[in-house]
Amino acid sequence: LGDDSNLALNSDGTVVGWGFSGYGEAAIPPGLSNVVAISMESDTSLALKSDGTIAAWGWNFYGMTNYPPRLADVTQLAGGGFHALAPRTDGTVVAWGRDFEGQTDVPPGLTNVVAVGAGGFHSLALKRDSTVVAWGDNSQGQCDVPPGLTNVVAVCGVSHSSLALIEDGTLVCWGADGLDQTNKPPAGL
């Protein structure tokens, strides 16, 4: 989901876009195929192709569509607040776009990353040992990974909050809580 538009990935590796497309974010580039994952941030669309390369289109004010040259061996994409993250098969992370809060300043020595999540102005990395590293804007505690957080299988960043899915199916949330978004999730989740 973007701000005002959406993308969907078809099982045949093609992408469909709809909604507002004032910056071309819902207009799929001609010939785009072999896509295995998609992500959107605000007004920019990202696609991961089966060969480990990416495609980006839409708004480019903060360099969102100018991903690093020769970026390959990507395993996932995460779009946040005018920035994007891409873990690579070697366990490193590449980040680009707006960096006013340090969200694209990947911590030195960060390795063994298997997945990423991008919030408004912060970034998350899930490491092979099932632990989480966070960096960027921490004004609401969204980068204060709870002590002892382990057995994580997925991470997600949204606005000023962070979420981690634990292998037993529970969800841990931290960061902004002005609208009850980091309180204990409802029963049955």
Side-chain angles (χ1 to χ4, degrees):
L1 301 173
D3 281 349
D4 300 310
S5 55
N6 303 293
L7 293 179
L9 176 59
N10 290 316
S11 60
D12 66 358
T14 60
V15 178
V16 176
W18 70 97
F20 178 75
S21 194
Y23 301 103
E25 64 272 28
I28 309 307
L32 182 65
S33 62
N34 301 315
V35 175
V36 296
I38 54 176
S39 183
M40 288 188 89
E41 78 67 40
S42 299
D43 301 311
T44 305
S45 299
L46 305 164
L48 173 61
K49 298 180 72 176
S50 60
D51 64 0
T53 61
I54 65 170
W57 64 96
W59 195 44
N60 193 39
F61 188 72
Y62 292 108
M64 287 297 302
T65 63
N66 294 340
Y67 51 88
R70 295 179 300 281
L71 179 59
D73 300 323
V74 172
T75 61
Q76 182 209 345
L77 292 170
F82 308 116
H83 73 290
L85 304 169
R88 300 180 65 202
T89 55
D90 66 1
T92 61
V93 175
V94 177
W96 68 95
R98 180 183 172 187
D99 192 36
F100 295 149
E101 303 294 336
Q103 65 268 36
T104 64
D105 295 336
V106 178
L110 180 62
T111 60
N112 298 313
V113 174
V114 295
V116 291
F121 303 108
H122 71 288
S123 300
L124 302 159
L126 173 60
K127 297 185 67 171
R128 189 168 287 116
D129 65 2
S130 300
T131 61
V132 177
V133 176
W135 66 95
D137 176 37
N138 195 34
S139 61
Q140 301 292 315
Q142 63 269 39
C143 291
D144 293 336
V145 178
L149 182 65
T150 59
N151 301 318
V152 177
V153 296
V155 292
C156 179
V158 293
S159 191
H160 292 91
S161 301
S162 299
L163 298 93
L165 177 63
I166 310 302
E167 68 183 1
D168 67 3
T170 59
L171 189 63
V172 176
C173 310
W174 65 96
D177 197 26
L179 299 174
D180 240 7
Q181 62 268 41
T182 60
N183 280 337
K184 183 178 180 184
L189 182 61

